[in-house]
Amino acid sequence: MTHIAIIGAGLIGRGWAFVFARAGTEVRVWDPQPAVLDRLPDDIAGMVEQTAPFGQAGTDPKATAARIRAVTTPEEALDGAALAQESGPEVLDTKRALFARLDAIAAPETILASSSSALMASRFAGELPGRARCLVGHPVNPPHLVPVVEIAPAPFTDPAVTDRARAIYAAAGQVPVVLQREIDGFILNRLQAVVLAESLRLIEQGYVDVRGLDDTIRHGLGRRWAFMGPMETINLNAPGGAGDYLTRYGAMMAGLARSSARDEAFTPAVAATVGAAFADVSAPETVRARQNWRDAELAALAQHLAARAQHDNAQE
Amino acid sequence: MTHIAIIGAGLIGRGWAFVFARAGTEVRVWDPQPAVLDRLPDDIAGMVEQTAPFGQAGTDPKATAARIRAVTTPEEALDGAALAQESGPEVLDTKRALFARLDAIAAPETILASSSSALMASRFAGELPGRARCLVGHPVNPPHLVPVVEIAPAPFTDPAVTDRARAIYAAAGQVPVVLQREIDGFILNRLQAVVLAESLRLIEQGYVDVRGLDDTIRHGLGRRWAFMGPMETINLNAPGGAGDYLTRYGAMMAGLARSSARDEAFTPAVAATVGAAFADVSAPETVRARQNWRDAELAALAQHLAARAQHDNAQE
């Protein structure tokens, strides 16, 4: 494969660079801020140092780092690229301007993918001459430690482009999920939003405290959802599978969802309550240290799950 | 500690027996069906066999099994018990009758806890003379592999009983979450219900297929939620912590939650769609085999997370 272009070298862009380089692909990274590019080799070295002990830096970690090259112009990044992964700020006008610039530069066969976490491609690429090669490829932070990527094509995206993007992400070891229709927030953030809304409501109305809420997911539902989704979960919670589950328990679960919280749950009061619960771990340096802890745990979990999958495959 | 009584030897009851026995406590199990009690030793042996390789059967797996004893009357189970864990069918009238019987037999100091997954204690214990020692202790299936237990006291439950129940569960290695107010479905199933509702809606309206929905959680949000909850997740997604996150992104997430699905999402049509997606793995024997796979994965994950926690503690 020809190389991948990364546009924007923030946390998400660097994660993407690591994903492709780890899989053996050359990567060219451009960012409008030279200082960000200057720091890139050190940042990548830090990622290698964190992930290599868990087997998440590729078969040859030094080679992974060596495949990532900073370039000083978008033209150089895009020239001959199979796919450009735009990872700039989540601001509509900025994204629109950036996509116009990329579309004007890139060869017609280069796919333009945005890491946008909630903005649909039809909102920032619809006016472009090359809009048929534009789509969203939304990762989770950090992309090199959480493999899902939501591929959200716009109505104007060429289906062949969607297929190629899916193949490129899959070949890099990610897990592509292709949306069949565009929707704000895609799938992942919509699910996160309903969990946040109901959680904030239960906290604000005094049913549970912040710690108890987190424990319920972390030591409860999250244990299953780390290796199977909510649909497979219900398929195993009734003797006759998912259809049987929904027949037996659908009305009960519907009853619980009947009064579920929506946008009204996001109040300043509950933001203050949740903020206060984390007050002693919310200083920027503490958050950064804890983000490092999170990423190490994600790397350890990725290693664990890969070993389990290998074990399951060997048994089949 | 004196022994624990398990009332009902189905999947949940056997899991509870294993939890307490593994922690070194004697357990007496009673079930109204003699055939279920006859099978108990074999069932427990199977649980030892599955969990011991992952270090989840206690320091001496044989001793764990030996601490679990079937008894033929509820009187024998309850006599001298610190806590009785009722794990019968989730049917209001059945639970009401069973609690009346247990309350009539048990000594005043024995706590009567129900494994009820959605019914509040005030709905089945409110008329009892000993209602002050009644509460819900809702586990996840299987209790010996998923540690959370939701403790839901009724308004009439003695706070000292709630505290003792919490201490008993914690001493057995579970993670108790105490609800400050009763609510149908408690916390865990309310959160599961909103995820199911939005998931079913996104599937039925054609945004994503069943497999893609599961992949979004399994290879996305579930990776974080296996070791931290949704509140700690947002605390790490903004430089200034959870309060900062809700200030920056609260309106965006509220926008996604504004139109979220509720009970109307549980339609016969989507039940058929989801059922069809699992059609080739929904035969009862296939579901049972896959439940065994799930439980082995949960045991492996419990071992992994315990090792990580030990590693983190050693670093502090």
Side-chain angles (χ1 to χ4, degrees), chain A residues 259-271:
Chain A
S259 55
S260 65
R262 287 178 170 161
D263 53 314
E264 77 286 351
F266 293 80
T267 65
V270 79

Side-chain angles (χ1 to χ4, degrees), chain A residues 54 117-118 140-141 145-148 150 175 177-185 187-203 205-210 212-243 245-246 250 252-254 256-264 266 270-271 274-275 278 281-284 287 290-291 293-294 296-298 300-302 304-305 308 312, chain B residues 54 117-118 140-141 145-148 150 175 177-185 187-203 205-210 212-243 245-246 250 252-254 256-264 266 270-271 274-275 278 281-284 287 290-291 293-294 296-298 300-302 304-305 308 312:
Chain A
F54 301 104
S117 61
V140 177
N141 182 27
L145 296 173
V146 184
V148 79
E150 296 184 280
V175 178
V177 169
V178 179
L179 270 72
Q180 293 143 6
R181 288 171 67 192
E182 269 188 317
I183 187 169
D184 273 325
I187 306 302
L188 187 139
N189 274 320
R190 294 194 78 85
L191 294 176
Q192 182 161 228
V194 297
V195 168
L196 285 180
E198 185 68 6
S199 296
L200 294 174
R201 192 272 292 240
L202 289 167
I203 291 166
Q205 295 186 353
Y207 292 105
V208 69
D209 61 16
V210 170
L213 191 291
D214 268 1
D215 281 347
T216 304
I217 292 288
R218 176 185 172 188
H219 298 288
L221 293 169
R223 294 286 179 108
R224 295 170 175 166
W225 289 344
F227 62 88
M228 59 183 191
M231 296 295 114
E232 181 160 10
T233 295
I234 66 171
N235 190 55
L236 300 183
N237 278 346
Y245 177 95
L246 288 168
M252 189 266 278
M253 296 308 271
L256 299 181
R258 191 165 297 138
S259 55
S260 65
R262 287 178 170 161
D263 53 314
E264 77 286 351
F266 293 80
V270 79
V274 175
F278 289 101
V281 289
S282 288
V287 169
R290 193 78 180 160
Q291 286 169 338
W293 165 82
R294 175 197 65 195
E297 292 306 319
L298 287 171
L301 185 57
H304 168 78
L305 294 172
R308 294 299 305 167
D312 288 350
Chain B
F54 301 105
S117 61
V140 177
N141 181 27
L145 296 172
V146 184
V148 79
E150 296 184 279
V175 177
V177 169
V178 178
L179 271 72
Q180 293 145 7
R181 287 171 67 192
E182 269 188 320
I183 187 169
D184 273 323
I187 307 303
L188 187 139
N189 274 321
R190 293 194 79 85
L191 294 176
Q192 182 161 229
V194 297
V195 168
L196 285 180
E198 185 68 6
S199 296
L200 294 175
R201 192 275 290 242
L202 290 167
I203 290 166
Q205 295 186 354
Y207 292 105
V208 69
D209 61 16
V210 171
L213 192 291
D214 268 1
D215 281 347
T216 304
I217 292 287
R218 175 184 172 187
H219 299 287
L221 292 169
R223 294 286 180 109
R224 294 169 175 165
W225 290 343
F227 62 88
M228 58 184 191
M231 296 295 114
E232 182 160 11
T233 294
I234 67 172
N235 191 56
L236 300 184
N237 278 347
Y245 177 95
L246 288 169
M252 191 267 278
M253 295 309 271
L256 299 181
R258 190 165 297 136
S259 56
S260 65
R262 287 177 171 162
D263 53 314
E264 77 286 350
F266 293 79
V270 79
V274 175
F278 289 102
V281 290
S282 288
V287 168
R290 193 78 180 161
Q291 284 170 340
W293 165 83
R294 175 198 64 197
E297 292 307 319
L298 287 170
L301 186 58
H304 168 79
L305 293 171
R308 294 300 305 167
D312 287 351

Side-chain angles (χ1 to χ4, degrees), chain B:
Chain B
M1 189 168 71
T2 52
H3 77 273
I4 297 291
I6 305 296
I7 306 298
L11 268 176
I12 298 290
R14 295 198 298 271
W16 273 121
F18 203 79
V19 163
F20 290 110
R22 176 173 68 186
T25 304
E26 298 293 323
V27 178
R28 294 186 203 160
V29 181
W30 174 74
D31 192 283
Q33 298 183 62
V36 171
L37 287 180
D38 289 345
R39 283 198 308 269
L40 185 64
D42 283 351
D43 286 335
I44 297 294
M47 294 165 76
V48 167
E49 188 181 2
Q50 182 181 54
T51 58
F54 301 105
Q56 303 301 308
T59 46
D60 180 349
K62 279 189 185 167
T64 293
R67 284 189 201 99
I68 300 171
R69 185 157 67 88
V71 297
T72 54
T73 65
E75 285 78 3
E76 203 180 344
L78 287 165
D79 182 35
L83 179 146
Q85 186 74 37
E86 177 275 324
S87 303
E90 187 81 351
V91 177
L92 185 56
D93 287 344
T94 309
K95 236 174 239 308
R96 204 173 264 155
L98 192 50
F99 259 72
R101 187 170 175 190
L102 299 179
D103 189 46
I105 297 172
E109 64 273 17
T110 299
I111 296 172
L112 302 183
S114 172
S115 297
S116 167
S117 61
L119 298 172
M120 305 184 295
S122 54
R123 293 180 63 189
F124 57 79
E127 311 297 314
L128 302 180
R131 64 184 196 169
R133 42 84 169 261
C134 296
L135 44 65
V136 166
H138 171 234
V140 177
N141 181 27
H144 62 295
L145 296 172
V146 184
V148 79
V149 48
E150 296 184 279
I151 302 179
F156 50 69
T157 305
D158 179 352
V161 166
T162 304
D163 286 347
R164 270 163 51 214
R166 186 219 290 254
I168 288 170
Y169 291 128
Q174 300 299 94
V175 177
V177 169
V178 178
L179 271 72
Q180 293 145 7
R181 287 171 67 192
E182 269 188 320
I183 187 169
D184 273 323
F186 315 122
I187 307 303
L188 187 139
N189 274 321
R190 293 194 79 85
L191 294 176
Q192 182 161 229
V194 297
V195 168
L196 285 180
E198 185 68 6
S199 296
L200 294 175
R201 192 275 290 242
L202 290 167
I203 290 166
E204 184 160 27
Q205 295 186 354
Y207 292 105
V208 69
D209 61 16
V210 171
R211 168 74 179 270
L213 192 291
D214 268 1
D215 281 347
T216 304
I217 292 287
R218 175 184 172 187
H219 299 287
L221 292 169
R223 294 286 180 109
R224 294 169 175 165
W225 290 343
F227 62 88
M228 58 184 191
M231 296 295 114
E232 182 160 11
T233 294
I234 67 172
N235 191 56
L236 300 184
N237 278 347
D244 186 25
Y245 177 95
L246 288 169
T247 303
R248 286 173 191 245
Y249 308 117
M252 191 267 278
M253 295 309 271
L256 299 181
R258 190 165 297 136
S259 56
S260 65
R262 287 177 171 162
D263 53 314
E264 77 286 350
F266 293 79
T267 65
V270 79
T273 301
V274 175
F278 289 102
D280 56 343
V281 290
S282 288
E285 62 275 23
T286 315
V287 168
R288 273 196 302 274
R290 193 78 180 161
Q291 284 170 340
N292 274 334
W293 165 83
R294 175 198 64 197
D295 291 351
E297 292 307 319
L298 287 170
L301 186 58
Q303 182 180 41
H304 168 79
L305 293 171
R308 294 300 305 167
Q310 202 166 27
H311 171 267
D312 287 351
N313 286 337
Q315 287 201 318
E316 272 168 10

